[in-house]
Amino acid sequence: MKSYFQTDTVTLFHADCRDALAGLPSESVDVLLTDPPYGMAYEAKGKSGAAIRADGSRQGMRVFRQALTAAGPALKPDLHAFVFCHWESWPDFFDAASAHLKIKGALMWWKARGGMGDCAASFAPDYEVVLHGAGPTRRALAGKRHGAVLDGYPPVPARARTHPTEKPVNLLSYLLERSCPAGGLVLDPFAGSGATLVAAQQLGLRAVGVELEERYCEAAARRLEAGTALSLAA
Ligand SMILES: C[S@@+](CC[C@H](N)C(=O)[O-])C[C@H]1O[C@@H](n2cnc3c(N)ncnc32)[C@H](O)[C@@H]1O
């Protein structure tokens, strides 16, 4: 399959990941870090645009399950995997991921700020769940043991986002620094604006991303190009 954008270390495909993942070399991926469609029929507000593709609850789960099945042969036995989930759909993601991975725990990205919903009669949804899974062979995480609450990574401000559910690069970098060996390969089948790929690029890791919507591929390619220009200028 032809790539949409490529650097020495990072490849982005404009494709349905269920097709693209079958072409990955077997047992090549060290870390799966992804933020699939949440299955919440998410409606974006503001300048960053429309609803997320495949985000109806049943459709989102079906795509995630099929993506994991397609990715299976490419995952190394000592893989670490991180999957962002909405609080309402994480049990479904847990079930789907459990069929392929040993679930090691759930991290909580504490966003330190509210969110939508019934402001007067519910607690603020100021966090996201990140499922942590692993392959059948154990590989230690780097550094001293850290708690499961990921604090100190503010959400990308709405005015700076190129994707309605864009994740902060420094949060993804933290997860990759802990879990990916030097020069390892990172996979994000639902790449969106390319935040995972940018984090991998900044850490000198290899990465493959797949994104269905061309406008987000364009955004990701622009970010990766800027990263290449920066490293050449340094
Ligand atoms: C929750 S967003 C990811 C946002 C990303 N983490 C970021 O920081 O920009 C999920 C993305 O998956 C894409 N998507 C949905 N179905 C897909 C599929 N079958 N293959 C590849 N990408 C898909 C959507 O277009 C959307 O951009």
Side-chain angles (χ1 to χ4, degrees), residues 124-148:
D126 54 3
Y127 68 94
E128 278 182 42
V129 178
V130 186
L131 291 178
H132 174 210
T137 308
R138 183 173 174 279
R139 176 161 53 79
L141 295 168
K144 71 176 172 62
R145 196 171 198 200
H146 195 282

Side-chain angles (χ1 to χ4, degrees), residues 84-95:
F84 282 81
C85 317
H86 189 271
W87 67 266
E88 245 179 302
S89 55
W90 76 261
D92 296 330
F93 280 92
F94 183 102
D95 289 347

Side-chain angles (χ1 to χ4, degrees), residues 15-18 34-38 52-54 63 163 165-167 172 188-196 210-213 216 223:
D16 188 316
C17 63
R18 293 167 291 180
T34 197
D35 175 24
Y38 288 5
I52 306 291
R53 287 283 286 275
V63 170
H163 189 288
T165 62
E166 187 171 329
K167 297 294 173 284
L172 305 175
D188 187 350
F190 301 99
S193 65
T196 301
V210 190
E211 170 54 46
L212 194 57
E213 292 222 31
Y216 298 138
R223 298 175 81 184

Side-chain angles (χ1 to χ4, degrees), residues 20-192:
L21 297 178
L24 292 178
S26 112
E27 298 196 0
S28 56
V29 174
D30 295 281
V31 177
L32 172 70
L33 172 54
T34 197
D35 175 24
Y38 288 5
M40 299 307 304
Y42 179 87
E43 291 294 334
K45 299 234 181 336
K47 71 163 185 157
S48 53
I52 306 291
R53 287 283 286 275
D55 206 29
S57 58
R58 290 171 62 112
Q59 191 192 2
M61 282 318 304
R62 190 170 64 240
V63 170
F64 179 60
R65 282 178 204 279
Q66 291 170 344
L68 279 180
T69 301
L75 306 180
K76 281 191 178 170
D78 64 353
L79 172 97
H80 280 280
F82 300 94
V83 180
F84 282 81
C85 317
H86 189 271
W87 67 266
E88 245 179 302
S89 55
W90 76 261
D92 296 330
F93 280 92
F94 183 102
D95 289 347
S98 298
H100 298 267
L101 303 166
K102 180 174 168 43
I103 305 298
K104 306 285 284 183
L107 313 182
M108 187 173 293
W109 171 35
W110 186 57
K111 301 199 257 189
R113 69 176 75 145
M116 291 173 292
D118 182 350
C119 296
S122 72
F123 293 89
D126 54 3
Y127 68 94
E128 278 182 42
V129 178
V130 186
L131 291 178
H132 174 210
T137 308
R138 183 173 174 279
R139 176 161 53 79
L141 295 168
K144 71 176 172 62
R145 196 171 198 200
H146 195 282
V149 177
L150 308 171
D151 180 8
Y153 306 98
V156 181
R159 66 181 178 284
R161 273 182 224 148
T162 51
H163 189 288
T165 62
E166 187 171 329
K167 297 294 173 284
V169 169
N170 61 353
L171 170 63
L172 305 175
S173 299
Y174 170 78
L175 296 173
L176 292 178
E177 279 173 330
R178 293 274 151 159
S179 62
C180 196
L185 180 64
V186 179
L187 172 64
D188 187 350
F190 301 99

